[in-house]
Amino acid sequence: MTRPFQSTDRDPDWKVVRLMAELSFLAYEDSIPAVQNRLRLFDLVLGEFVTIDNHHFITAWDAKRDVLIVAFRGTDIAQLADVWTDLDYAKIKTDTGEVHKGFYKASEAMMRSVVAAIEHRGRPQHVWLTGHSLGGAIATLTMRQLESRGHRVGGLVTFGQPRVGDRAFTEEMNRKLGSRILRVINEDDVVVSLPPRIPLVLPAYYSGGNAIQFLDGKLKQSGGVRLMAKPPIDGVIGDGTTPQVDLDLLAPQTPSGKVPPDPEPLTAEQFEELKQILNDRDGSVADEQTYGGPLGGPMDRLDLKRRAGNHPMHLYIQNIERFAAEGK
């Protein structure tokens, strides 16, 4: 955590990715003692445990190495429909382009507390940000804001992050900060395809930095595809061919000069269908649809159901551990 982070490296720093995944997972935990006990395994102590306007973040502190990690809570798969309905299609202009208004407001709501956490520790030399789902989008905008206020962020790692800003905003992020941003995508997680693309209503949104994607037992990066020896969780390695993924060839290039491996954004019709699927839940299984648990529920649209099922953070951790074991 004290070495310079380069998301453009061919081999991801799996120790960093695994730790960021753990903290993104812990950001969903409501028990302070549980978070404290888990952090001790990583020689970290819990700093802040903050909830503002239904948004939440925790900080993990390593005083010896002068490292502060801020992890933002995301969205439970069972709450996605309500969240995306609330955020809707709104956008807001910044000095470098347009961003999703809901993400922007969430990051602004917590900015004062994040800055206070950093300054309380004398502006640590190594500040890291992370988050899953909506938490990843908030972390991205927080990084930009912190950097503009003179707080250097050593690295940002997000998991299943939705798209944040338009082309102008994303290209500016990549130019200034992209080499310190890594996005992790589990299979074709549907949240990575949000917000939807709606011509004349919503601009084409993207997420900056470099990306890695776990896909059919392979690790897909901006530079290509690498076949890993370990099979996927279900034991099927695929046919050995290059995975077929819809790439937005008009997307801003990553800092390494490549097009990122992102699934295409949803259409307006697909977005409405997804909301119906996520709202169509049997109350008898509602309690099972907690963070990290199975998707559950009577969902009829198999492809969107399958893609939504790739979103929970525990599946990200399983794939990270599998690839890290080989790529360490």
Side-chain angles (χ1 to χ4, degrees), residues 45-70:
V45 298
L46 176 64
E48 284 70 23
F49 194 92
V50 178
T51 301
I52 301 173
D53 295 341
N54 295 321
H55 301 295
H56 179 78
F57 74 86
I58 63 173
T59 63
W61 172 236
D62 184 338
K64 182 178 179 180
R65 297 177 176 83
D66 201 23
V67 174
L68 181 70
I69 307 168
V70 184

Side-chain angles (χ1 to χ4, degrees), residues 124-147:
Q125 184 176 358
H126 309 286
V127 175
W128 288 74
L129 304 178
T130 191
H132 167 250
S133 193
L134 177 62
I138 295 173
T140 299
L141 291 173
T142 299
M143 181 183 192
R144 179 180 179 275
Q145 285 288 77
L146 288 176
E147 289 276 340

Side-chain angles (χ1 to χ4, degrees), residues 31-216:
S31 168
I32 292 179
V35 176
Q36 290 173 324
N37 291 335
R38 186 66 181 173
L39 288 178
R40 290 192 186 102
L41 299 177
F42 301 94
D43 295 324
L44 296 168
V45 298
L46 176 64
E48 284 70 23
F49 194 92
V50 178
T51 301
I52 301 173
D53 295 341
N54 295 321
H55 301 295
H56 179 78
F57 74 86
I58 63 173
T59 63
W61 172 236
D62 184 338
K64 182 178 179 180
R65 297 177 176 83
D66 201 23
V67 174
L68 181 70
I69 307 168
V70 184
F72 297 88
R73 180 179 294 182
T75 45
D76 187 307
I77 190 66
Q79 298 172 331
L80 268 179
D82 294 335
V83 169
W84 290 111
T85 299
D86 291 342
L87 296 184
D88 212 314
Y89 304 147
K91 53 188 180 292
I92 189 170
K93 288 186 177 181
T94 70
D95 54 352
T96 58
E98 293 184 327
V99 300
H100 195 283
K101 186 175 181 180
F103 303 159
Y104 180 85
K105 290 173 63 177
S107 65
E108 286 295 299
M110 291 185 285
M111 182 58 61
R112 180 178 297 180
S113 295
V114 172
V115 171
I118 293 172
E119 295 183 344
H120 176 66
R121 290 165 181 81
R123 300 171 69 100
Q125 184 176 358
H126 309 286
V127 175
W128 288 74
L129 304 178
T130 191
H132 167 250
S133 193
L134 177 62
I138 295 173
T140 299
L141 291 173
T142 299
M143 181 183 192
R144 179 180 179 275
Q145 285 288 77
L146 288 176
E147 289 276 340
S148 68
R149 300 182 186 193
H151 297 280
R152 177 177 170 80
V153 176
L156 165 69
V157 183
T158 68
F159 308 91
Q161 173 197 326
R163 297 162 181 243
V164 175
D166 66 4
R167 177 185 295 276
F169 177 87
T170 304
E171 288 179 343
E172 181 69 6
M173 281 284 292
N174 278 352
R175 185 177 70 83
K176 293 183 176 180
L177 308 172
S179 63
R180 287 178 270 152
I181 300 173
L182 179 66
R183 292 180 293 113
V184 183
I185 305 169
N186 184 51
E187 304 295 341
D188 55 353
D189 182 349
V190 72
V191 175
V192 182
S193 295
L194 295 171
R197 180 172 295 176
I198 307 174
L200 304 180
V201 176
L202 193 67
Y205 279 167
Y206 304 95
S207 293
N210 287 281
I212 60 175
Q213 182 180 20
F214 307 121
L215 188 68
D216 296 333

Side-chain angles (χ1 to χ4, degrees), residues 273 277 280 297-305:
E273 183 178 6
I277 290 173
D280 184 19
M299 302 184 180
D300 299 326
R301 292 86 163 181
L302 295 180
D303 187 58
L304 286 176
K305 172 186 175 180

